[in-house]
Amino acid sequence: MSTLIHESAHRLAEMMAVGDITCEEVTRAHLERITEAEDQIHAFLYVDADRAMDTSRRVDAKRRSGEPMGPLAGVPIGVKDVFTYAGAPTTCASKILEGWHPPYTATVVQRMIDADMVIVGKTNMDEFAMGSSTENSAYGPTHNPWALDRIPGGSGGGSAAALAGFEVPLSVGSDTGGSIRQPAAVTGTVGVKPTYGSSSRYGLVAMASSLDQPGPCARNVLDAALLHQVMSGHDPKDSTSIDASGPDVVTAARSRDVTGMKIGVVKEFGGEGYAPGVERSFREAVAGLASAGAEIVEVSCPHFPAALGAYYLIMPSEVSSNLARFDAMRYGLRVGDDGTTSAEQVMRLSRGAGFGAEVKRRIILGTYALSSGYYDAYYGSAQKVRTLVIQDFSNAFCQVDVLVSPTTPTTAFKLGERIDDPMAMYKADLCTIPSNLAGNVSASFPAGLSAEDGLPVGFQVMAPPMRDDLVYRVGSGLEALLEDRWGGPLWTLMKEEGR
Ligand code: GLN
C-alpha cells in the first residue's frame, strides 16, 4: 500500500506542485486504498474510478503546460451523496432516488472541479441526511475505522470514515443539526459547519433549508481551511447565499496561536448524560488552551438545552415540505404504475416503498406540527425558542470571542445500540444544534482519546456569523498543543496501531 494515503491534503498538493509526485499517482494510491478498505468500512456508495483517473491525467497535463494551479489542485476528494454531480448517481442513501442521474452539478462540487480537485466518489450517509449513525442508509451502514463495530456518526458518516480510513485526504459534508461535526468528533477528524449562507446550497438536496449548510471535512485544520476557501463564496443560484467575501480562514488555520483570545465554556453542556471520558478530554483541552495564553470564562446560555426540542419541530416541518417533491412523477422510484392505478395511488405506493422509517417519521411529525390547529402550539413555539437561542449567542459573543463545548456527549456508540431508540439517537446532537438554529459558524476538532474506551473525543468551537476565521484559529491552537503531546496529529496514533 502506498504511503501517500497518510499524507495531508496540503502536503500532497505541495509535492505535486514541485513535481515530486503526479496527480495520477496520488489518485491511484487512494483508489487502491478504497478497493482494499471498502469491504470493512463501506464509506462510499459510488466510486467514480475511471473518471477520477481521467481527471488526474488532465490535471497533470495542465500542470506540465505551466498553467497556474490552485492550492488543492490534484487532491482527491469524496463528496457526500446529498450533492449532485452530473455523470454520477445521487441517491441521498434512499431507495426513492436509486439510479437517479442528476443533470446538473452542485455549486460546491463545481468549485472543486474548477479548482482541479479529483472527485473519487460519493460517500454514504443517513437517508436524506436524517440520523446520527449512518445506519439509516438504505444501502447499509458505514463502519468507524477506529473500531469497526462502532458508528462513524451521521448523517455524514461516510465522509468522516473515508478520512479516518485513509481512503481520501478530504471530503465534503452537509450539516443541518450536526451531520458534519458529530461524525468528525467520533472519527477523530475535523469538520466545519460554515456560517449559514457562506457556502452555496445549490445542488445540495434539501433536508431543512433554513438549517442546511455544506462544509469541509479533513484530517487536520489547515486542510479544512483550504477546502473551506475553495467551497465558499457568493452564488446567485442560491437566494440565501451571502453576497460578501468571508474572512481569511487559511491564515487563521496557519496561526496556531490563541494568545489573548477570550474563550467561553458553555455552562449548560456537561454533567448528566455526558461520558466521563468525554468531559475529561474536553477539560484537558480547555486547560491546554489556557496554558497557551487564552482567557477562559464560563458562560451561561440558558436556552441551549431547549434547542434540541425546537429543532425536532422546525426541521421535520421543513422536511415534510421539501420531501414532497419525491412524488414518483418526475424522477426516482415509481411503484404500481400498471395502467390501472391513479396518480395518487402511484405516489402513495412509491413513497411507501421508497422512504425508510426515519424519513417517514419526520414527514409525519412535520405535517402534524404544521397542521392548522397545531401550527402556533408547535411550529410557532419552536420558532420562539429559536429566537431565544439566537439571543443567547448574541449575549455570549458580547463577552467572549468563541464558545466551546464537547461536540457530542459520548464517543462512538456501537452499531445497533440506538437504532430502535430515536430519542437516544437524537441526543447525539444536543450540543451541535444551537449553531444551526442561529446560523453561526461551528466546528469540531479532535480533543484526544477518551480514557474510558480509547475512542476519539470532539471539541466544538462556535463563533459569530462571518467569523469563521475564529474557529480555525482556536482549532489550529488546539492542534498545535495536541501534536506536541502526541508527536504528530491524532490519526498518526491510529496509523501506528496499524488500523
Ligand atoms: N443527526 C441530526 C438529524 O438526524 C442532524 C442531521 C444533519 O445535520 N443532516 O437530524
Side-chain angles (χ1 to χ4, degrees), residues 53 73 116 133 196 207 217 224 269 298 324 440 449 490:
M53 288 310 298
D116 293 310
S133 67
Y196 181 82
M207 174 180 167
C217 311
F269 287 157
E298 194 179 69
N440 58 278
L449 301 180
L490 177 64

Side-chain angles (χ1 to χ4, degrees), residues 192 194-195 221 225 228 246-258 261 401-402 441-443 445 461-477:
V192 181
T195 297
V221 180
H228 190 120
D248 180 355
V249 293
V250 173
T251 302
R254 288 188 200 276
S255 71
R256 305 200 135 211
D257 177 16
V258 292
M261 285 192 87
D401 297 313
V402 297
V441 55
S442 180
F445 302 104
V461 185
M462 299 161 266
M466 295 305 269
R467 289 310 307 271
D468 302 44
D469 55 320
L470 293 178
V471 303
Y472 283 100
R473 201 172 143 203
V474 176
S476 72

Side-chain angles (χ1 to χ4, degrees), residues 129-132 154-155 174-179 207 311-312 315 362 429:
M130 300 178 199
S132 299
S155 64
S174 66
D175 194 309
T176 305
S179 285
M207 174 180 167
Y311 172 82
Y312 274 96
M315 172 274 296
R362 296 190 192 201
D429 291 318

Side-chain angles (χ1 to χ4, degrees), residues 268-427:
E268 285 75 11
F269 287 157
E272 201 193 321
Y274 288 74
V278 168
E279 293 210 272
R280 188 163 145 196
S281 292
F282 174 71
R283 275 197 306 273
E284 284 172 4
V286 170
L289 290 169
S291 69
E295 185 188 337
I296 311 291
V297 291
E298 194 179 69
V299 177
S300 175
C301 297
H303 302 99
F304 277 18
L308 185 72
Y311 172 82
Y312 274 96
L313 287 165
I314 294 167
M315 172 274 296
S317 298
E318 296 190 29
V319 160
S320 70
S321 161
N322 274 327
L323 270 61
R325 73 188 54 150
F326 302 104
D327 58 5
M329 296 295 125
R330 287 163 288 190
Y331 42 71
L333 185 73
R334 181 179 290 215
V335 176
D337 182 14
D338 61 6
T340 65
T341 38
S342 68
E344 198 171 290
Q345 283 169 315
V346 171
M347 284 181 201
R348 192 174 303 140
L349 288 168
S350 302
R351 285 168 69 83
F355 288 139
E358 183 63 25
V359 173
K360 286 178 186 159
R361 179 180 295 125
R362 296 190 192 201
I363 292 172
I364 292 168
L365 202 61
T367 308
Y368 184 75
L370 291 178
S371 57
S372 62
Y374 296 105
Y375 183 93
D376 284 338
Y378 294 124
Y379 185 75
S381 305
Q383 289 289 24
K384 286 178 192 154
V385 172
R386 187 175 195 171
T387 302
L388 294 172
V389 169
I390 293 169
Q391 283 169 358
D392 277 2
F393 272 117
S394 304
N395 293 339
F397 291 139
C398 291
Q399 305 165 53
V400 293
D401 297 313
V402 297
L403 289 171
V404 297
S405 75
T407 307
T408 182
T410 69
T411 55
F413 44 91
K414 290 232 165 77
L415 285 158
E417 198 177 300
R418 298 194 191 175
I419 192 67
D420 296 321
D421 184 352
M423 291 305 289
M425 191 71 90
Y426 297 167
K427 284 186 186 150

